[in-house]
Amino acid sequence: MKSSPKDENKSSIMQISLSNGQILRLAQVKEGDTVYYVPEESLFVKKIPRKRDVAFYNPKQSFNRDVSVCAIEVFLEKYHQTPHVTRACEPLCATGIRGIRYLLETRLQEVTMTDLNPVAIKIATFNLSYLETTLTNLKKKVILQRAEASRTLLTNAINFQRFCITDIDPFGSPSPFLYPAILATEPKGLIAVTATDTAPLTGVYPHALFKKYLASMIGRVTFYNELALRRVITYAMRIGFLLGIAMVPVLSFAIDHYFRVFFIKSFKKNVEDLVSDIGFLLHCKQCLYTEIWKKFESPPAAQLQCSYCNASLLMLGPLYLGSIQNRDFINETIRIAEERTLTQKERVLKYLHLLKQETTLNLPWYYDLHHLASYLQTSAPSTVTILTELEQQGYTAIRTHCSPTAIKTNAPIKVLHSIVLRGKALENNA
Ligand SMILES: C[S@@+](CC[C@H](N)C(=O)[O-])C[C@H]1O[C@@H](n2cnc3c(N)ncnc32)[C@H](O)[C@@H]1O
Ligand SMILES: [Zn+2]
């Protein structure tokens, strides 16, 4: 690795030579409090970066990294109590910006980072050398290797070198890495998981959904983002159940083109609590009537017919229907986010507040107002109008972070229908 003397702007552009003789231009970016060099071309790609890119860096994912920095700081400050050195593992690290941000922006003491792509490791190595010029001993806190992710995790698990934080941030589905990630994380540790395969998860490809998440092959429904998020959570929980471990979600969100969940690996006794929250949703795709079915027998045929519009109900699940946020954890994450330099601070805080509000009504689905308006052959009223009217009628009604045109409410569907039908009149009277 070497920087070229021909750099036109030494501080913002660097060049490294790759093993095939190719020169790779690196551009300086600042994320949070961390200055880092990433492939220059990744800053100009308009669409989502692809697997065949020279090494993966997605500027838009700074939101994910910002939230993760805050969540990890909360975990280390408030939840993690072992006396030994705090170690995290990012086994799919790409350029390494995530793991290095955790090290530089939280109280984490050591990070292990691996990637299969040799160019990614070369870029991370370049950054470590660059950062060490101002941060002494940084290299001693980073274990960086070209290695396969599951192998990294399993080797550490077998050698009783388990991590207090494991972050699985792959291309597409995290499924292949969950079992080794759970094994490689110490009890009460934090496991963060990203899933970017939105098409299978939201039911666009039901066969892929079954293959990757063992979920029933059911196509898209209107609350697809929440359903997909819960599919990721349910799958991770089921892998935990096989090992007698409870994967308790403390912070979960669907945003842009991905899903992100932070789990705390918990004691066996929590397994039964989670299992008791596994069930099904009986859902009408037309009028959006939805109910929870938690019994261990199939519903009678009559119950699989919508009592409002007579359409057949879909049976979605098995699905984790319990809480996917921990209010205290979110409050603390908000506190840290307010204090920190973050790349997407305003957006991070906006979403964290939406997630906090969602803890006031644990409803594992939401109602899309545009769909309801079209079903009822009316024009869609504003979300605010509907929320206000529901509250005036004594119901709980909140927004969902999953969609700006959807709401959650404990009002019966008939009440919601009648308010949507009167929506424009309510707006005119306001
Ligand atoms: C989405 S990128 C990681 C992005 C990174 N975490 C970040 O925040 O910038 C996924 C990375 O996983 C690497 N990868 C894919 N399969 C792998 C495997 N089985 N073992 C190790 N690395 C792998 C790819 O080379 C790629 O760099
Ligand atoms: Zn119906």
Side-chain angles (χ1 to χ4, degrees):
M1 168 234 319
K2 59 175 186 251
S3 61
S4 157
K6 289 189 195 134
D7 294 337
E8 55 263 47
N9 176 349
K10 264 200 190 273
S11 62
S12 63
I13 299 287
M14 293 283 190
Q15 296 185 359
I16 58 172
S17 48
L18 305 180
S19 54
N20 62 2
Q22 226 186 313
I23 298 293
L24 180 64
R25 283 168 64 87
L26 300 179
Q28 193 184 76
V29 291
K30 184 161 187 274
E31 269 197 22
D33 273 330
T34 304
V35 174
Y36 213 77
Y37 283 91
V38 299
E40 186 184 31
E41 64 178 39
S42 59
L43 301 180
F44 303 123
V45 179
K46 294 281 180 298
K47 49 191 186 331
I48 299 166
R50 304 141 304 170
K51 276 188 186 184
R52 61 178 178 276
D53 289 346
V54 56
F56 185 95
Y57 171 74
N58 185 353
K60 285 192 187 147
Q61 286 273 6
S62 60
F63 178 92
N64 181 334
R65 290 183 284 269
D66 278 351
V67 174
S68 303
V69 161
C70 299
I72 284 175
E73 184 67 338
V74 169
F75 172 74
L76 291 173
E77 186 186 324
K78 300 272 174 188
Y79 290 76
H80 181 262
Q81 281 147 6
T82 51
H84 54 247
V85 171
T86 52
R87 300 166 60 240
C89 182
E90 199 208 352
L92 303 123
C93 72
T95 63
I97 190 166
R98 178 183 293 272
I100 295 297
R101 281 194 67 185
Y102 295 169
L103 196 61
L104 301 185
E105 298 179 42
T106 76
R107 63 191 68 203
L108 183 73
Q109 292 166 303
E110 192 185 294
V111 64
T112 294
M113 303 193 299
T114 58
D115 200 285
L116 268 183
N117 180 348
V119 179
I121 298 301
K122 195 148 199 174
I123 295 169
T125 308
F126 170 85
N127 276 286
L128 279 187
S129 298
Y130 165 77
L131 288 167
E132 255 235 339
T133 57
T134 49
L135 300 163
T136 39
N137 286 335
L138 179 70
K139 280 187 185 165
K140 285 195 187 138
K141 299 176 194 161
V142 180
I143 296 160
L144 177 66
Q145 272 170 359
R146 182 178 176 219
E148 202 283 324
S150 299
R151 191 186 165 100
T152 304
L153 294 165
L154 291 173
T155 308
N156 279 274
I158 289 164
N159 293 330
F160 297 102
Q161 294 282 314
R162 288 186 294 184
F163 302 99
C164 62
I165 296 161
T166 304
D167 196 327
I168 302 299
D169 185 49
F171 289 132
S173 172
S175 298
F177 308 106
L178 282 170
Y179 179 83
I182 294 173
L183 291 179
T185 308
E186 64 188 28
K188 296 197 196 171
L190 186 76
I191 302 176
V193 175
T194 309
T196 64
D197 52 340
T198 45
L201 274 169
T202 57
V204 177
Y205 303 123
H207 282 86
L209 172 63
F210 175 75
K211 280 190 295 182
K212 293 184 178 181
Y213 296 92
L214 305 178
S216 5
M217 292 183 238
I218 290 186
R220 199 151 156 127
V221 296
T222 50
F223 62 100
Y224 57 88
N225 267 336
E226 171 120 16
L227 186 58
L229 185 57
R230 286 178 182 271
R231 281 171 171 152
V232 175
I233 292 170
T234 306
Y235 180 80
M237 276 184 187
R238 291 174 81 172
I239 301 294
F241 293 156
L242 297 177
L243 296 164
I245 284 163
M247 292 279 281
V248 180
V250 290
L251 175 58
S252 319
F253 56 89
I255 193 168
D256 301 335
H257 61 281
Y258 65 94
F259 305 92
R260 177 80 166 158
V261 187
F262 296 82
F263 297 94
I264 293 193
K265 176 176 166 175
S266 302
F267 293 118
K268 266 189 186 169
K269 66 178 170 60
N270 298 119
V271 169
E272 283 312 314
D273 292 344
L274 295 184
V275 172
S276 69
D277 272 328
I278 301 277
F280 295 85
L281 293 178
L282 304 183
H283 172 69
C284 176
K285 275 181 88 166
Q286 292 191 33
C287 74
L288 302 193
Y289 167 77
T290 309
E291 71 174 83
I292 285 175
W293 180 261
K294 270 200 196 162
K295 294 188 194 147
F296 288 103
E297 71 246 28
S298 303
Q303 198 151 350
L304 284 171
Q305 195 168 16
C306 178
S307 41
Y308 291 104
C309 74
N310 283 334
S312 298
L313 295 183
L314 288 174
M315 195 165 166
L316 302 166
L319 207 60
Y320 173 70
L321 304 171
S323 169
I324 59 173
Q325 320 288 357
N326 176 315
R327 195 176 172 85
D328 292 338
F329 195 94
I330 294 178
N331 272 333
E332 292 296 328
T333 311
I334 290 172
R335 174 179 64 80
I336 298 288
E338 276 166 352
E339 288 168 4
R340 296 300 170 98
T341 306
L342 298 172
T343 312
Q344 300 196 36
K345 186 161 180 155
E346 206 177 310
R347 194 172 185 226
V348 165
L349 282 167
K350 178 184 151 198
Y351 271 85
L352 287 173
H353 280 287
L354 279 170
L355 299 180
K356 179 177 164 179
Q357 198 192 29
E358 284 180 37
T359 62
T360 60
L361 178 66
N362 178 41
L363 195 79
W365 68 88
Y366 52 81
Y367 298 105
D368 183 80
L369 297 177
H370 284 185
H371 174 93
L372 277 182
S374 118
Y375 167 72
L376 297 166
Q377 298 182 339
T378 182
S379 50
S382 80
T383 308
V384 178
T385 305
I386 302 292
L387 290 173
T388 311
E389 182 60 18
L390 282 164
E391 273 166 12
Q392 274 173 7
Q393 292 194 22
Y395 297 104
T396 303
I398 55 171
R399 288 180 184 274
T400 162
H401 79 280
C402 290
S403 163
T405 60
I407 61 152
K408 292 188 173 200
T409 179
N410 57 1
I413 192 73
K414 267 286 161 211
V415 171
L416 185 55
H417 285 180
S418 81
I419 295 176
V420 170
L421 278 169
R422 288 187 297 122
K424 284 293 160 199
L426 289 167
E427 268 164 20
N428 292 338
N429 293 342

